[in-house]
Amino acid sequence: MKWTQKSQEKYNQDLKNKIAELKKKRKAIIIAHNYQRPEIQDIADIKGDSLALSRAAAETDKDVIVICGVRFMAESASILNPDKKVILPVVEAGCPLADMINVDKINELKRRFPDAPVVCYVNSSAEVKAVSDICCTSSNAVEVVKSLSAERIITLPDKNLGLYIASQVPGKKIIPWEGFCPSHVRLSREDVLLAKKLHPRAKFLAHPECYPEVLELADGVCSTKQMFDYVASSDSQEFIIGTEKGIIHGLAKEYTDKRFYLASEHLICADMKLTTLGWVAHALEFMKYEVKVPEEIRNRAKKGLDRMLEVK
Ligand code: CIZ
């Protein structure tokens, strides 16, 4: 068969119909991150950042939660919903940033800075959350740190997010871990200056996982959710976006009268792009791949997530 745009559309529509049928049969909810492929965002019941995903997972009355994202997101859903089946369609969808820290390294930090609580970005494994004091996302990291009475605070695993928090909470000494997001650090100051030259009227929105010298050029430093909020309340018609490419689909779909330019074509997370319609259909048909956090780790990790959800 010759593969044309028409046959591709039919193939996708058949998969979407199958997913809708299976979703009903399984009493499932599909939750997708803002960085997912456009066609995955379009079939999701809930779409958002990690915080929205965690909240939706905590509130759903469905039996099965399909997380279209990466492993740590499915783990968070499992931590908050021990009695539900949490499914990650692509078993190897991980997060290189999350893999840059582990329990031994945190224990070493705690030995060096015994008075400093550990604030752990949700982009981390369940084991890492279990030995941290409180979690945060890129939406609420500054508020979470402000909510703590300690003067010295360890933030992990993303160094740039730690440096950004430090710039916003000057009264505290932030001790950031050295991790980084391989997608966001590919955005250079030169990329942004070029994009600004090409689109002089556009506002530049940057994710806090970008380097400080990139954030210096930003009109807004925003999580993905905050980028939606910024665009909604801005009079500007054009925006240069400094985060993963997937968000452009959601922004362009929601704000049809505004224009969005990706700050660099390198802003792509390969793990986020692994989930396809085919894998979601497979996940619902065969209930694969279940992510279940062991009870002992879950109990400890949940405390940090609950504490975060209380802050904001
Ligand atoms: O917090 C998240 O979900 C991430 C990884 C990015 C963002 O800002 O949404």
Side-chain angles (χ1 to χ4, degrees), residues 247-268:
I247 195 175
I248 300 282
H249 174 72
L251 287 169
K253 199 170 167 186
E254 197 158 330
Y255 303 101
T256 48
D257 56 333
K258 305 205 176 195
R259 278 204 230 136
F260 302 96
Y261 314 107
L262 193 64
S264 156
E265 282 302 323
H266 297 299
L267 282 163
I268 295 191

Side-chain angles (χ1 to χ4, degrees), residues 33 35 49-50 73 121-123 137-138 207 209 223-225:
H33 194 270
Y35 296 157
D49 65 358
S50 304
M73 295 173 182
Y121 192 24
V122 281
N123 299 35
T137 69
S138 41
H207 195 275
E209 290 172 22
S223 69
T224 55
K225 177 190 180 301

Side-chain angles (χ1 to χ4, degrees), residues 151-218:
E151 277 166 25
R152 292 203 300 184
I153 292 166
I154 296 167
T155 63
L156 53 87
D158 190 83
K159 182 174 180 184
N160 288 335
L161 179 63
L163 295 176
Y164 175 66
I165 295 169
S167 73
Q168 300 301 300
V169 193
K172 293 191 191 285
K173 166 106 182 86
I174 303 297
I175 304 157
W177 184 248
E178 294 285 325
F180 60 91
C181 163
S183 306
H184 285 97
V185 299
R186 269 185 252 146
L187 179 61
S188 68
R189 200 177 158 86
E190 289 67 36
D191 291 329
V192 178
L193 292 173
L194 178 62
K196 280 177 172 257
K197 209 166 163 187
L198 291 171
H199 310 290
R201 282 188 299 277
K203 296 278 187 212
F204 170 49
L205 306 183
H207 195 275
E209 290 172 22
C210 297
Y211 283 124
E213 63 263 29
V214 168
L215 299 187
E216 269 172 21
L217 300 173

Side-chain angles (χ1 to χ4, degrees), residues 75 98-104 106 110 118-121 123-135 156-157 297 300-301:
E75 285 185 350
D99 294 340
M100 290 178 194
I101 188 76
N102 61 33
V103 172
D104 287 346
I106 298 178
K110 285 182 173 181
V118 176
V119 175
C120 155
Y121 192 24
N123 299 35
S124 56
S125 68
E127 288 81 3
V128 162
K129 289 184 177 76
V131 294
S132 299
D133 293 287
I134 183 167
C135 294
L156 53 87
I297 294 173
R300 287 187 288 131

Side-chain angles (χ1 to χ4, degrees), residues 5-22:
Q5 192 181 341
K6 209 160 161 219
S7 54
Q8 174 75 58
E9 277 165 17
K10 171 154 182 352
Y11 175 77
N12 280 357
Q13 194 51 55
D14 289 349
L15 281 171
K16 285 182 189 172
N17 295 344
K18 186 172 176 181
I19 289 167
E21 218 172 86
L22 286 166

Side-chain angles (χ1 to χ4, degrees), residues 85-103:
K85 232 184 202 350
V86 175
I87 302 286
L88 181 68
V90 181
V91 73
E92 68 270 27
C95 172
L97 168 61
D99 294 340
M100 290 178 194
I101 188 76
N102 61 33
V103 172

